[in-house]
Amino acid sequence: MLPGDLTAASWELVVRVDHPTAEEQRDVTLRVSGDLHVGGVMLKLVEKITMFPILADVSQDWSDFALWWEQKRCWLLKTHWTLDKCGVQADAKLLFTPQHKMLRLRLPNLKTVRLRVSFSAMVFRAVGDICRVLNIRRSEELSLLKPFGDYFKKKKKKEKNNKEPVIEDILNLESSPTSSGSPGSAGLYSKTMTPTYDPITGTPVSSTVTWFSDSPLTEQSCSVLAFSQPPQSPEALADMFQPRSLLDKTKLNAGWLDSSRSLMEQGIQEDEQLLLRFKYYTFFDLNPKYDAVRINQLYEQARWAVLLEEIDCTEEEMLIFAALQYHISKLSLSTETQDFTNDSEVDEVEAALSNLEVTLEGGKADSTLEDITDIPKLADYLKLFRPKKLILKAFKQYWFIFKDTSIAYFKNKELEQGEPLEKLNLKGCEVVPDVNVAGRKFGIKLLIPVADGMNEVCLRCEHETQYARWMAACILASKGKTMADSSYQPEVLSILSFLRMKNRNSSSEMASSLGSMDMNPECFVSPRCAKKYKSKQLAARILEAHQNVAQMSLIEAKLRFIQAWQSLPEFGLTYYLVRFKGIKKDDILGVSYNRLIRIDAATGIPITTWRFTNMKQWNVNWEIRQVAIEFDQNVSIAFTCLSADCKVVHECIGGYIFLSTRSKDQNETLDEDLFHKLTGGQE
């Protein structure tokens, strides 16, 4: 050491070096001063490391290394800041470590992928990098979830004696370039730079993977992510965590990571296992041509949500889901045996130009919508019943008129010019289907917000077409839209399509198919549903439902499964256990893409609904961890979250509001600053 180094303002700083070639971490002591910037410390550190024979490595690239401050749990990434500005003193414990480390991610299809991820970037950006590697567009819909203690518990008990890890179940992408420094690294890239898939079979076009994709995924790896996995055995299904109550469902959402902080800041260790899941249930621009992996992973998440009863459905709906699963499983097995190199390969440039032409010219618009000058209305006889009133009468018939976002009903058609018996404003209401196709029951349950909770009204339609029209109108009205909206006709067709799938068709082919059914029918339904039937009975009912979906292609069947999942009453609800201010008992808060719902924890019945469109502002008191929200008409609520940190709920609400700003007019670049502004809070 030179005599000039021993100045009055200098002091010794101990830095631990996490060297990849050394077996143990080594401490290196540097003499520094407060006006030395962080970059200078790193430079001194590297120069001193090269003097150690054990640590010296001429070929070592130190560009990915950065300083981690253990006590403060933060990265010192602003290399131009001085130690004084950072607050670093002699007692600081610093670690010189790579920013990118290995992480194991369990995907929705239960496949584990091992890849290198940035532990220093915010989770929002890290997820974008991961999705770019896995060829999943719209990374803002996904996030990382830390599983709670019981999630892998049953599986671990069985694997206790087996000390060797199951290597064949892990897809290793160690060389994946997830650097967050490159411009396109946040997973926000052009459509023409992503792999193209056959829209009929869902198989990747081989030339595209080699031409355009900067992902390390090979064609084989791509097929693993784009095809559904074989169905699990009933025993394996029974071993998985199944929420038995709303309280159990709140456990599933407790572990969402903070998108505004890095993995290292949240205590995530190298090679730890996390879950990559769709967090926000607003799936923007699903396109079979570009989204084979995304659609498959979405299908798998929906499939497990149904099988493990994370979302409730009727027995009739469960059989439809089972039939679609069986169909997809059969097609996946037959498709995987095919060679990926198709004879008629698609010219990617030509396909991109064709897609651009369609985008610029626009699709064929519905001519009936272009001529609308007045908002259309529905008028018909329906039956009405109010379950909350203490009366023993059944449904009673009235003449109903649906216009704008309101329903008015009269004693009969002749009195429609006079005052209605009642007018129901459906804006902000809950619309719940109450359908049994086999029993010819087509009901619509409306939960309309009032001052003291929810006003329940039940409507009964005569047939499928009437039900589809009125149900679509109610759904749009609940969102503040009228039947003049362009989404009305597609909504009607979607409802009719789903009802047709529920029609039970008996045929002579079913008996022969029953004998050739080569899979265990218990694999396709929830364990509770499987207990109700013998294996042959269940197989017969699944094959009966399969007749309605047997002609679908692989990608079409997956999209139809996702569509059926989206039509379930509980779809898109993320549950949290909360305590509202001024109320002594705990409640469940359901957060959806457009509303908040207060639910009774004991009965599961919705009490009050608040729409995001009526929200004026929301904030968090970080000292008492309380979320406060103000709505129109001087309505305000405040609650503390008991099942998760209040930041998790705050980010969920802000994330949905952020996603509502997306539009097809803009390119795929997201306003990351706006996301953090809406979700980060002022902590």
Side-chain angles (χ1 to χ4, degrees):
M1 187 180 293
L2 298 173
D5 290 338
L6 294 169
T7 60
S10 67
W11 36 273
E12 287 189 341
L13 179 66
V14 179
V15 182
R16 181 159 289 185
V17 179
D18 190 7
H19 198 288
T21 59
E23 292 182 4
E24 296 180 355
Q25 294 177 336
R26 296 296 181 100
D27 288 341
V28 176
T29 304
L30 301 174
R31 179 156 289 276
V32 298
S33 58
D35 58 355
L36 181 65
H37 51 75
V38 173
V41 175
M42 293 167 66
L43 184 62
K44 275 192 172 189
L45 197 57
V46 172
E47 287 174 350
K48 197 157 188 178
I49 289 170
T50 55
M51 297 168 62
F52 284 87
I54 300 173
L55 297 179
D57 186 353
V58 177
S59 62
Q60 175 63 39
D61 181 9
W62 299 97
S63 61
D64 190 44
F65 277 65
L67 290 170
W68 166 256
W69 191 352
E70 291 183 18
Q71 296 108 315
K72 298 281 188 181
R73 300 194 67 80
C74 68
W75 289 92
L76 302 179
L77 297 177
K78 295 180 178 176
T79 53
H80 60 284
W81 279 24
T82 63
L83 295 179
D84 281 343
K85 189 171 183 179
C86 293
V88 175
Q89 297 178 352
D91 61 344
K93 293 181 180 178
L94 300 183
L95 175 67
F96 193 50
T97 184
Q99 297 176 62
H100 288 77
K101 303 174 187 291
M102 297 307 295
L103 193 66
R104 286 179 297 129
L105 297 175
R106 200 175 196 203
L107 304 182
N109 68 343
L110 305 189
K111 189 74 182 174
T112 300
V113 176
R114 190 169 180 267
L115 72 170
R116 198 171 297 280
V117 178
S118 173
F119 273 59
S120 63
M122 289 182 183
V123 166
F124 183 81
R125 177 160 298 185
V127 170
D129 295 341
I130 291 164
C131 289
R132 179 176 58 85
V133 172
L134 301 180
N135 289 325
I136 299 174
R137 292 195 313 145
R138 304 295 177 188
S139 63
E140 66 275 9
E141 297 169 358
L142 298 93
S143 192
L144 297 176
L145 181 65
K146 188 172 183 177
F148 57 92
D150 295 338
Y151 193 82
F152 297 119
K153 202 173 186 180
K154 290 184 179 178
K155 193 175 179 184
K156 281 182 179 175
K157 281 182 183 175
K158 290 197 170 184
E159 293 179 355
K160 227 175 204 179
N161 300 326
N162 185 14
K163 295 181 180 178
E164 293 184 7
V166 188
I167 300 171
E168 62 270 15
D169 281 343
I170 296 179
L171 178 62
N172 202 325
L173 301 174
E174 190 171 350
S175 60
S176 58
T178 57
S179 166
S180 58
S182 58
S185 62
L188 313 171
Y189 39 80
S190 167
K191 285 181 181 177
T192 53
M193 295 300 287
T194 60
T196 300
Y197 300 86
D198 190 313
I200 306 301
T201 64
T203 57
V205 178
S206 57
S207 61
T208 314
V209 177
T210 53
W211 271 18
F212 289 96
S213 176
D214 57 353
S215 163
L217 284 174
T218 60
E219 288 182 34
Q220 188 59 38
S221 303
C222 229
S223 69
V224 170
L225 302 183
F227 285 115
S228 67
Q229 300 297 297
Q232 296 274 353
S233 67
E235 294 77 24
L237 198 61
D239 280 346
M240 295 181 180
F241 177 79
Q242 297 168 54
R244 299 296 183 192
S245 65
L246 278 175
L247 286 175
D248 284 346
K249 291 179 182 180
T250 63
K251 293 181 183 177
L252 299 170
N253 303 302
W256 288 110
L257 296 189
D258 187 340
S259 297
S260 302
R261 294 196 296 154
S262 68
L263 291 171
M264 199 93 156
E265 288 174 72
Q266 299 180 68
I268 304 301
Q269 304 297 317
E270 185 171 5
D271 220 30
E272 188 172 335
Q273 180 156 323
L274 298 176
L275 309 178
L276 180 69
R277 292 288 184 271
F278 287 88
K279 179 179 180 179
Y280 299 104
Y281 296 93
T282 52
F283 315 124
F284 190 69
D285 189 27
L286 270 180
N287 189 329
K289 187 175 179 182
Y290 306 106
D291 290 325
V293 175
R294 181 181 172 210
I295 288 170
N296 183 59
Q297 297 300 327
L298 195 51
Y299 157 71
E300 289 285 347
Q301 185 160 326
R303 181 166 80 97
W304 287 112
V306 171
L307 289 178
L308 299 177
E309 296 184 345
E310 292 173 14
I311 185 168
D312 292 335
C313 64
T314 64
E315 191 176 295
E316 192 176 45
E317 289 162 343
M318 180 67 77
L319 291 170
I320 289 295
F321 286 124
L324 284 167
Q325 286 177 73
Y326 173 58
H327 185 62
I328 290 165
S329 180
K330 280 179 65 177
L331 289 180
S332 296
L333 285 172
S334 62
T335 311
E336 281 177 349
T337 57
Q338 298 173 3
D339 186 7
F340 282 123
T341 54
N342 300 337
D343 294 332
S344 56
E345 285 201 340
V346 179
D347 187 314
E348 177 60 24
V349 176
E350 196 173 310
L353 289 172
S354 175
N355 186 58
L356 178 63
E357 186 180 352
V358 172
T359 307
L360 292 173
E361 291 181 359
K364 292 181 179 178
D366 192 339
S367 58
T368 58
L369 292 176
E370 291 176 1
D371 299 330
I372 289 176
T373 53
D374 297 320
I375 295 172
K377 70 175 184 178
L378 289 174
D380 213 339
Y381 278 107
L382 301 176
K383 291 178 180 177
L384 173 83
F385 176 57
R386 291 181 176 278
K388 284 190 176 181
K389 288 192 174 180
L390 298 173
I391 53 174
L392 299 174
K393 292 180 182 178
F395 283 85
K396 191 174 179 182
Q397 184 169 280
Y398 295 98
W399 176 256
F400 282 82
I401 293 179
F402 198 130
K403 191 167 184 181
D404 295 329
T405 58
S406 300
I407 290 180
Y409 63 94
F410 307 81
K411 196 170 183 180
N412 54 51
K413 185 178 180 181
E414 288 71 27
L415 299 174
E416 71 171 279
Q417 299 302 326
E419 281 293 314
L421 294 173
E422 190 179 9
K423 189 173 184 180
L424 307 171
N425 185 7
L426 302 191
K427 194 173 180 181
C429 77
E430 297 299 310
V431 184
V432 182
D434 183 19
V435 176
N436 185 329
V437 176
R440 306 302 296 166
K441 174 186 173 185
F442 303 100
I444 303 170
K445 189 185 292 183
L446 301 172
L447 301 172
I448 303 167
V450 290
D452 57 345
M454 304 289 276
N455 186 7
E456 187 172 341
V457 177
C458 294
L459 304 179
R460 182 69 61 85
C461 300
E462 291 294 324
H463 48 77
E464 292 98 328
T465 307
Q466 188 186 53
Y467 169 79
R469 288 173 181 165
W470 284 81
M471 185 66 178
C474 289
I475 291 171
L476 262 65
S478 71
K479 301 174 184 176
K481 298 178 181 178
T482 69
M483 286 178 283
D485 192 86
S486 60
S487 61
Y488 175 69
Q489 288 299 336
E491 187 71 43
V492 173
L493 294 174
S494 172
I495 293 168
L496 282 171
S497 174
F498 189 43
L499 291 176
R500 288 190 191 107
M501 283 199 297
K502 291 185 177 183
N503 278 322
R504 298 169 67 175
N505 295 332
S506 299
S507 67
S508 57
E509 296 176 12
M510 197 183 70
S512 59
S513 300
L514 189 58
S516 62
M517 188 172 183
D518 53 352
M519 292 186 188
N520 193 340
E522 285 85 2
C523 299
F524 303 112
V525 295
S526 68
R528 187 165 57 176
C529 182
K531 288 175 185 175
K532 293 183 180 179
Y533 300 96
K534 291 179 180 177
S535 188
K536 283 188 176 179
Q537 289 177 323
L538 192 58
R541 296 200 67 182
I542 291 173
L543 284 174
E544 197 177 336
H546 180 252
Q547 302 301 312
N548 294 314
V549 300
Q551 303 305 315
M552 292 182 186
S553 67
L554 178 59
I555 203 81
E556 186 186 355
K558 287 179 182 177
L559 287 170
R560 190 58 61 88
F561 192 102
I562 294 166
Q563 185 184 44
W565 176 46
Q566 289 174 302
S567 71
L568 295 177
E570 289 186 9
F571 168 77
L573 282 175
T574 306
Y575 298 103
Y576 301 97
L577 182 66
V578 299
R579 174 74 65 88
F580 280 91
K581 186 179 179 181
I583 296 174
K584 293 182 179 179
K585 68 182 185 72
D586 300 340
D587 286 304
I588 303 292
L589 181 72
V591 183
S592 182
Y593 75 97
N594 62 351
R595 68 200 188 281
L596 301 174
I597 308 174
R598 182 185 161 204
I599 304 168
D600 188 288
T603 63
I605 297 173
I607 301 171
T608 315
T609 298
W610 301 280
R611 290 270 163 181
F612 289 161
T613 50
N614 299 330
M615 188 186 293
K616 292 168 70 177
Q617 66 172 7
W618 80 102
N619 55 68
V620 180
N621 184 329
W622 296 108
E623 290 183 7
I624 59 174
R625 318 301 286 181
Q626 185 181 76
V627 181
I629 308 175
E630 287 184 27
F631 297 93
D632 293 337
Q633 299 176 344
N634 297 321
V635 175
S636 60
I637 60 172
F639 58 85
T640 52
C641 188
L642 307 177
S643 62
D645 190 272
C646 68
K647 175 62 170 68
V648 177
V649 187
H650 179 271
E651 184 175 311
C652 190
I653 296 169
Y656 272 124
I657 292 171
F658 169 76
L659 294 184
S660 69
T661 64
R662 297 182 298 181
S663 68
K664 289 194 175 184
D665 297 334
Q666 66 191 54
N667 57 22
E668 293 189 19
T669 304
L670 288 173
D671 188 344
E672 196 173 327
D673 290 337
L674 178 61
F675 174 84
H676 292 301
K677 186 178 178 182
L678 290 170
T679 62
Q682 303 298 322
E683 192 173 9

